[in-house]
Amino acid sequence: MDTAADVDLAVVGGGFAGLQAGLTAVQAGRSVAILEARDRLGGRTKPGRLAGHVVDLGGQWVGPDHRRLLALAARHGVATERQFEAGAKLIEFAGKVRRYTGLIPALPTVALLEVDRTMKRIERMAAALAASAPWATQNAARLDGMTVASWLATQVRTKGARAMMEIAVRAVFSAEPSEISMLFFLAYLRASGGLEPLISVGGGAQQDRFKGGLHQLSACLAEEVGNGRIRLSTVVSAVEQDESGVTLRLSGGDTLRARRVVMAVPLALLGRIGSTPPWPALRAGLAQRSPMGSVIKCHVAYPTPFWRARGLSGEAVSDAGPFSPVFDGTPEGAAHGVLTGFIEGEAARQLTELSPEGRQEQVLRCLTRLFGPEAAIPLDYAENDWLAEEWSGGCYAGLMAPATMTGFGPVIRQPAGRIHFAGTESAIEATGYVEGALESGERAAAEALAALSLG
Ligand SMILES: Cc1cc2nc3c(=O)[nH]c(=O)nc-3n(C[C@H](O)[C@H](O)[C@H](O)COP(=O)(O)OP(=O)(O)OC[C@H]3O[C@@H](n4cnc5c(N)ncnc54)[C@H](O)[C@@H]3O)c2cc1C
């Protein structure tokens, strides 16, 4: 044992993955320090204010399969509320706004049948992958050699069906279909049981929200870890490993010595942390090749949820954008109404250059086309541009372009000496979601604990 170590385990990152890793180690009786670059916990979850209520500017919904997250909320008495979905949905396609019900929008019959066929085919292809090693599937190299856009271009004939699939890809990945590999796309779906659960409200990833917001659960986790074990505003700039432990170089010139480390930062941010010895080649390559998605989340408050009186659920998608998808974000019991939605992929990259006022104008213009003139006069507006967040570098999660998953994916959970890797990107279940972050934190801490018990 290294008697000079300050702690058994140092955790880099105070998002849900890092906090869960810290908690797992504390519960095993180990000494722990969690180091977080921001002046707040929660990473890609974050509170904001809108019309006198707290809103989630980042992660918000929880699905029925997110058992770790639901258990955390239950431990702290944080209740969920059902995402409102009664009524018709809206789709803006080829310049027209139409109402529809069910999962698949109103399209000409040929396109509708093709969407149905394509969805079923994608579900079958995703289910055929091994969740923990999608790169080992028989046709992995072929699927990883093309983007989702190139697959759609050769496999989907109607313009309508292609547009629907593009909308679904943007909604799940906050990226264009041309940015991601078909293998990565299928593996991500596989981790959450398919495409349908990811784009659904009832029974899917958008089924419930937390009263008071998801972001508050990071503080609940921190309380369980012990706030004294967490250092905010502490950037880890380098890690130096030797035969007995790891020295972490911290902002302000401080150092910390740990026997093991869990890195719980997005894959893409690892490149900002120096390493001695250098990061293993495939780990460094994975960090270089896993860019974050592009998303700006916006909430718009109105004096009432006026769409409900017209039989609308508040759910809407648009092929013209830039605000798609949209959901009813009205908090239970509130007098006012809220529409919550996302600017994603290429639209986010174009609008990140605008001021918040400029973005608000574009969002309102889109909502007015969808919901009518009442949508033009909001009570309040709140947004968060995740592209501009230094310690996220984009969101929702890390993506993989062609040839990344097969070439570099196999090392995603492989430790580098005394350093173990967590973060939602490394999860086997619910990759990209808070549930995945918790799973990855548990797994990386378990690896570190097993190694610590060997001395
Ligand atoms: C707009 C938006 C909507 C979303 N919607 C949902 C949703 O509805 N449901 C859902 O489950 N998920 C959702 N997500 C995704 C979810 O928020 C993430 O999957 C999850 O929060 C990731 O947790 P993590 O701990 O893996 O990473 P992070 O939250 O990114 O945590 C990593 C932490 O590491 C810190 N860090 C980075 N580098 C350093 C360094 N060098 N030194 C010290 N600290 C460092 C960062 O500041 C950060 O706090 C959404 C995300 C966004 C942005």
Side-chain angles (χ1 to χ4, degrees):
M1 160 155 183
D2 175 23
T3 46
D6 299 307
V7 286
D8 292 323
L9 183 71
V11 179
V12 186
F16 279 83
L19 290 165
Q20 180 60 56
L23 178 59
T24 302
V26 166
Q27 285 171 337
R30 294 296 179 173
S31 55
V32 169
I34 298 180
L35 309 157
E36 167 54 51
R38 289 173 161 108
D39 61 1
R40 62 170 184 83
L41 293 171
R44 286 174 256 178
T45 67
K46 179 180 181 179
R49 281 200 87 73
L50 180 87
H53 283 250
V54 177
V55 288
D56 280 309
L57 293 175
Q60 173 168 2
W61 286 280
V62 58
D65 296 339
H66 295 176
R67 58 191 168 85
R68 293 175 184 82
L69 182 55
L70 289 168
L72 166 63
R75 292 202 297 278
H76 293 270
V78 175
T80 56
E81 58 189 30
R82 219 33 208 257
Q83 170 61 41
F84 184 82
E85 60 167 339
K89 303 171 192 175
L90 296 175
I91 175 167
E92 181 179 41
F93 175 62
K96 285 208 182 87
V97 176
R98 294 189 183 84
R99 288 176 170 235
Y100 70 100
T101 51
L103 190 66
I104 303 175
L107 290 172
T109 314
V110 183
L112 205 59
L113 289 173
E114 194 169 34
V115 174
D116 185 53
R117 229 177 17 247
T118 306
M119 293 256 312
K120 288 192 175 119
R121 199 167 156 211
I122 286 173
E123 302 292 21
R124 277 197 307 274
M125 288 167 80
L129 298 182
S132 58
W135 46 81
T137 309
Q138 208 182 13
N139 56 353
R142 193 175 56 79
L143 292 170
D144 207 24
M146 64 179 100
T147 65
V148 176
S150 47
W151 188 84
L152 290 174
T154 55
Q155 304 298 316
V156 180
R157 287 203 326 273
T158 59
K159 227 170 115 183
R162 242 192 336 260
M164 287 316 103
M165 297 314 298
E166 285 164 3
I167 286 174
V169 172
R170 279 188 207 106
V172 174
F173 295 89
S174 59
E176 299 300 321
S178 54
E179 289 178 73
I180 55 180
S181 119
M182 188 64 190
L183 181 67
F184 169 76
F185 168 72
L186 294 170
Y188 197 94
L189 304 188
R190 171 75 177 87
S192 282
L195 181 56
E196 187 168 336
L198 286 181
I199 58 174
S200 299
V201 173
Q206 284 72 233
Q207 178 173 292
D208 296 294
R209 302 179 306 216
F210 293 99
K211 287 187 196 250
L214 165 54
H215 60 85
Q216 66 184 307
L217 294 174
S218 61
C220 296
L221 254 185
E223 196 184 291
E224 291 182 65
V225 170
N227 282 300
R229 297 187 171 97
I230 300 169
R231 287 203 220 170
L232 296 178
S233 304
T234 304
V235 176
V236 175
S237 56
V239 286
E240 291 159 12
Q241 298 195 53
D242 54 50
E243 59 290 340
S244 62
V246 186
T247 300
L248 294 95
R249 304 229 162 259
L250 313 180
S251 44
D254 219 357
T255 59
L256 181 84
R257 181 86 182 151
R259 294 172 64 204
R260 291 264 155 185
V261 171
V262 167
M263 276 293 164
V265 306
L267 290 173
L269 294 191
L270 189 74
R272 292 177 61 175
I273 303 177
S275 174
T276 310
W279 293 117
L282 294 182
R283 167 64 54 184
L286 184 64
Q288 283 168 11
R289 288 166 175 80
S290 304
M292 300 297 278
S294 307
V295 68
I296 303 168
K297 183 172 182 180
C298 315
H299 299 275
V300 190
Y302 295 98
T304 64
F306 62 88
W307 52 92
R308 291 187 186 180
R310 286 200 245 133
L312 294 172
S313 67
E315 247 180 89
V317 291
S318 164
D319 68 340
F323 199 47
S324 172
V326 179
F327 298 87
D328 183 321
T330 310
E332 225 171 67
H336 65 277
V338 177
L339 290 174
T340 296
F342 303 90
I343 303 169
E344 298 173 325
E346 186 50 35
R349 293 191 284 270
Q350 284 172 14
L351 270 57
T352 189
E353 299 282 314
L354 294 187
S355 64
E357 293 73 26
R359 280 194 288 268
Q360 179 180 346
E361 202 183 305
Q362 300 250 358
V363 165
L364 293 181
R365 213 175 291 159
C366 182
L367 287 175
T368 305
R369 289 199 313 272
L370 288 162
F371 291 93
E374 268 171 288
I377 309 156
L379 193 64
D380 201 1
Y381 174 81
E383 62 154 45
N384 201 69
D385 178 1
W386 286 93
L387 284 81
E389 292 257 345
E390 183 182 10
W391 297 109
S392 294
C395 279
Y396 315 112
L399 308 169
M400 293 188 195
T404 304
M405 185 162 256
T406 43
F408 301 85
V411 302
I412 196 160
R413 288 177 288 276
Q414 206 171 91
R418 294 173 170 270
I419 301 178
H420 306 266
F421 295 92
T424 191
E425 285 75 14
S426 72
I428 293 172
E429 280 171 43
T431 312
Y433 291 78
V434 171
E435 177 66 17
L438 295 172
E439 183 235 87
S440 75
E442 269 177 21
R443 189 253 319 136
E447 285 170 16
L449 290 171
L452 283 168
S453 69
L454 297 176

